[in-house]
mmCIF file of all heavy atoms in Angstrom:
data_model
loop_
_atom_site.group_PDB
_atom_site.id
_atom_site.type_symbol
_atom_site.label_atom_id
_atom_site.label_comp_id
_atom_site.label_asym_id
_atom_site.label_seq_id
_atom_site.Cartn_x
_atom_site.Cartn_y
_atom_site.Cartn_z
ATOM 1 N N GLU A 126 -6.179 42.385 -10.355
ATOM 2 C CA GLU A 126 -5.360 42.118 -11.528
ATOM 3 C C GLU A 126 -4.101 41.331 -11.151
ATOM 4 O O GLU A 126 -3.692 40.390 -11.830
ATOM 5 C CB GLU A 126 -4.941 43.513 -12.116
ATOM 6 C CG GLU A 126 -4.436 43.430 -13.495
ATOM 7 C CD GLU A 126 -4.000 44.785 -13.999
ATOM 8 O OE1 GLU A 126 -4.621 45.755 -13.598
ATOM 9 O OE2 GLU A 126 -3.020 44.831 -14.751
ATOM 10 N N ILE A 130 -2.820 37.667 -12.493
ATOM 11 C CA ILE A 130 -1.470 37.408 -13.005
ATOM 12 C C ILE A 130 -0.854 36.223 -12.271
ATOM 13 O O ILE A 130 -0.239 35.327 -12.921
ATOM 14 C CB ILE A 130 -0.582 38.669 -12.840
ATOM 15 C CG1 ILE A 130 -1.105 39.788 -13.769
ATOM 16 C CG2 ILE A 130 0.897 38.375 -13.155
ATOM 17 C CD1 ILE A 130 -0.429 41.150 -13.417
ATOM 18 N N GLN A 133 -2.365 32.976 -13.404
ATOM 19 C CA GLN A 133 -1.850 32.624 -14.771
ATOM 20 C C GLN A 133 -0.410 32.095 -14.673
ATOM 21 O O GLN A 133 -0.029 31.113 -15.382
ATOM 22 C CB GLN A 133 -1.942 33.840 -15.687
ATOM 23 C CG GLN A 133 -1.921 33.420 -17.162
ATOM 24 C CD GLN A 133 -2.000 34.622 -18.077
ATOM 25 O OE1 GLN A 133 -1.558 35.696 -17.749
ATOM 26 N NE2 GLN A 133 -2.633 34.388 -19.202
ATOM 27 N N ASP A 193 9.159 34.791 -18.432
ATOM 28 C CA ASP A 193 10.081 35.920 -18.224
ATOM 29 C C ASP A 193 9.786 36.499 -16.816
ATOM 30 O O ASP A 193 8.734 37.088 -16.624
ATOM 31 C CB ASP A 193 9.871 36.913 -19.321
ATOM 32 C CG ASP A 193 10.992 37.985 -19.325
ATOM 33 O OD1 ASP A 193 11.892 37.894 -18.420
ATOM 34 O OD2 ASP A 193 10.995 38.853 -20.170
ATOM 35 N N PHE A 194 10.749 36.316 -15.941
ATOM 36 C CA PHE A 194 10.553 36.793 -14.561
ATOM 37 C C PHE A 194 11.241 38.134 -14.364
ATOM 38 O O PHE A 194 11.320 38.640 -13.282
ATOM 39 C CB PHE A 194 11.072 35.799 -13.547
ATOM 40 C CG PHE A 194 10.315 34.526 -13.516
ATOM 41 C CD1 PHE A 194 10.755 33.405 -14.148
ATOM 42 C CD2 PHE A 194 9.062 34.463 -12.848
ATOM 43 C CE1 PHE A 194 10.026 32.235 -14.111
ATOM 44 C CE2 PHE A 194 8.326 33.293 -12.821
ATOM 45 C CZ PHE A 194 8.824 32.184 -13.459
ATOM 46 N N SER A 195 11.740 38.668 -15.463
ATOM 47 C CA SER A 195 12.409 39.967 -15.354
ATOM 48 C C SER A 195 11.436 41.098 -15.035
ATOM 49 O O SER A 195 10.254 41.012 -15.345
ATOM 50 C CB SER A 195 13.163 40.284 -16.643
ATOM 51 O OG SER A 195 12.229 40.505 -17.695
ATOM 52 N N PRO A 196 11.871 42.130 -14.318
ATOM 53 C CA PRO A 196 10.944 43.178 -13.836
ATOM 54 C C PRO A 196 10.265 43.898 -15.003
ATOM 55 O O PRO A 196 9.261 44.509 -14.833
ATOM 56 C CB PRO A 196 11.801 44.054 -13.014
ATOM 57 C CG PRO A 196 13.210 43.728 -13.325
ATOM 58 C CD PRO A 196 13.250 42.312 -13.795
ATOM 59 N N ASN A 197 10.934 43.916 -16.189
ATOM 60 C CA ASN A 197 10.385 44.663 -17.319
ATOM 61 C C ASN A 197 9.334 43.873 -18.107
ATOM 62 O O ASN A 197 8.828 44.424 -19.067
ATOM 63 C CB ASN A 197 11.549 45.056 -18.270
ATOM 64 C CG ASN A 197 12.592 45.937 -17.650
ATOM 65 O OD1 ASN A 197 12.224 46.657 -16.700
ATOM 66 N ND2 ASN A 197 13.807 45.700 -17.983
ATOM 67 N N ASN A 198 9.107 42.655 -17.662
ATOM 68 C CA ASN A 198 8.177 41.750 -18.443
ATOM 69 C C ASN A 198 6.720 42.340 -18.331
ATOM 70 O O ASN A 198 6.189 42.523 -17.236
ATOM 71 C CB ASN A 198 8.201 40.345 -17.893
ATOM 72 C CG ASN A 198 7.136 39.491 -18.476
ATOM 73 O OD1 ASN A 198 6.798 39.641 -19.650
ATOM 74 N ND2 ASN A 198 6.638 38.565 -17.668
ATOM 75 N N THR A 199 6.095 42.529 -19.434
ATOM 76 C CA THR A 199 4.710 42.959 -19.450
ATOM 77 C C THR A 199 3.847 41.996 -20.245
ATOM 78 O O THR A 199 2.622 42.291 -20.352
ATOM 79 C CB THR A 199 4.654 44.363 -20.091
ATOM 80 O OG1 THR A 199 5.327 44.335 -21.394
ATOM 81 C CG2 THR A 199 5.240 45.436 -19.215
ATOM 82 N N THR A 200 4.405 40.915 -20.801
ATOM 83 C CA THR A 200 3.622 40.015 -21.588
ATOM 84 C C THR A 200 2.485 39.433 -20.815
ATOM 85 O O THR A 200 1.282 39.469 -21.294
ATOM 86 C CB THR A 200 4.516 38.871 -22.099
ATOM 87 O OG1 THR A 200 5.856 39.356 -22.328
ATOM 88 C CG2 THR A 200 3.971 38.200 -23.279
ATOM 89 N N THR A 201 2.756 38.889 -19.646
ATOM 90 C CA THR A 201 1.740 38.239 -18.858
ATOM 91 C C THR A 201 0.685 39.267 -18.469
ATOM 92 O O THR A 201 -0.513 39.026 -18.510
ATOM 93 C CB THR A 201 2.384 37.597 -17.605
ATOM 94 O OG1 THR A 201 3.588 37.035 -17.956
ATOM 95 C CG2 THR A 201 1.430 36.657 -16.958
ATOM 96 N N HIS A 202 1.224 40.398 -18.058
ATOM 97 C CA HIS A 202 0.291 41.475 -17.634
ATOM 98 C C HIS A 202 -0.649 41.893 -18.681
ATOM 99 O O HIS A 202 -1.886 41.939 -18.467
ATOM 100 C CB HIS A 202 1.157 42.692 -17.189
ATOM 101 C CG HIS A 202 0.343 43.870 -16.785
ATOM 102 N ND1 HIS A 202 0.180 44.946 -17.668
ATOM 103 C CD2 HIS A 202 -0.348 44.143 -15.708
ATOM 104 C CE1 HIS A 202 -0.591 45.808 -17.045
ATOM 105 N NE2 HIS A 202 -0.968 45.356 -15.855
ATOM 106 N N ASN A 203 -0.146 42.071 -19.860
ATOM 107 C CA ASN A 203 -1.023 42.487 -21.046
ATOM 108 C C ASN A 203 -2.028 41.375 -21.389
ATOM 109 O O ASN A 203 -3.208 41.706 -21.571
ATOM 110 C CB ASN A 203 -0.161 42.743 -22.273
ATOM 111 C CG ASN A 203 0.636 43.975 -22.114
ATOM 112 O OD1 ASN A 203 0.258 44.807 -21.292
ATOM 113 N ND2 ASN A 203 1.661 44.119 -22.928
ATOM 114 N N ALA A 204 -1.596 40.186 -21.367
ATOM 115 C CA ALA A 204 -2.543 39.011 -21.633
ATOM 116 C C ALA A 204 -3.612 39.011 -20.633
ATOM 117 O O ALA A 204 -4.771 38.766 -20.973
ATOM 118 C CB ALA A 204 -1.706 37.718 -21.589
ATOM 119 N N THR A 205 -3.277 39.213 -19.392
ATOM 120 C CA THR A 205 -4.282 39.126 -18.349
ATOM 121 C C THR A 205 -5.250 40.274 -18.494
ATOM 122 O O THR A 205 -6.460 40.108 -18.251
ATOM 123 C CB THR A 205 -3.623 39.157 -16.936
ATOM 124 O OG1 THR A 205 -2.446 38.333 -17.005
ATOM 125 C CG2 THR A 205 -4.527 38.711 -15.911
ATOM 126 N N THR A 206 -4.748 41.485 -18.744
ATOM 127 C CA THR A 206 -5.673 42.626 -18.850
ATOM 128 C C THR A 206 -6.603 42.444 -20.045
ATOM 129 O O THR A 206 -7.749 42.800 -19.951
ATOM 130 C CB THR A 206 -4.882 43.932 -18.967
ATOM 131 O OG1 THR A 206 -3.852 43.778 -19.887
ATOM 132 C CG2 THR A 206 -4.376 44.397 -17.611
ATOM 133 N N LYS A 207 -6.094 41.860 -21.075
ATOM 134 C CA LYS A 207 -6.905 41.630 -22.264
ATOM 135 C C LYS A 207 -8.068 40.595 -21.890
ATOM 136 O O LYS A 207 -9.220 40.801 -22.287
ATOM 137 C CB LYS A 207 -6.130 41.046 -23.425
ATOM 138 C CG LYS A 207 -5.560 42.082 -24.375
ATOM 139 C CD LYS A 207 -4.747 41.435 -25.470
ATOM 140 C CE LYS A 207 -3.884 42.486 -26.148
ATOM 141 N NZ LYS A 207 -2.913 41.849 -27.026
#
Side-chain angles (χ1 to χ4, degrees):
Chain A
E126 196 183 326
I130 293 168
Q133 201 178 31
D193 191 358
F194 293 102
S195 65
N197 300 327
N198 173 34
T199 52
T200 324
T201 320
H202 175 257
N203 289 340
T205 317
T206 44
K207 269 180 196 169

